[in-house]
Amino acid sequence: MTPMPAAPTLLAADALSALLLPFWQLVIAGGVLLAVLVSVHRLVRRGPSRMTTALLVTGGAIVGLAVIGVLLA
């Protein structure tokens, strides 16, 4: 006798989450974009010296993450 397939409710739940996934990605992206805009506004108000430091720190973080990604790949 063959075993019964997985419960249909699990398949339905997977299909529902697959339909909602793009919506939640848009919500998360909107939140990230809002946070970035607020932080950029605050940096601009603080002046050029803070902007330079922020750009150097951000650039260093990007390079560091790229190096880690290459080493782990």
Side-chain angles (χ1 to χ4, degrees):
M1 205 173 348
T2 60
M4 295 292 292
T9 55
L10 291 177
L11 295 176
D14 288 342
L16 181 61
S17 64
L19 288 173
L20 292 176
L21 185 61
F23 172 73
W24 286 111
Q25 288 176 341
L26 289 175
V27 170
I28 292 169
V32 169
L33 181 64
L34 181 66
V36 167
L37 290 176
V38 168
S39 64
V40 166
H41 176 69
R42 289 183 67 191
L43 275 174
V44 168
R45 284 190 351 195
R46 289 184 177 182
S49 65
R50 296 281 180 133
M51 287 290 288
T52 303
T53 304
L55 287 173
L56 289 174
V57 169
T58 304
I62 291 171
V63 169
L65 286 173
V67 168
I68 289 171
V70 168
L71 291 176
L72 293 178

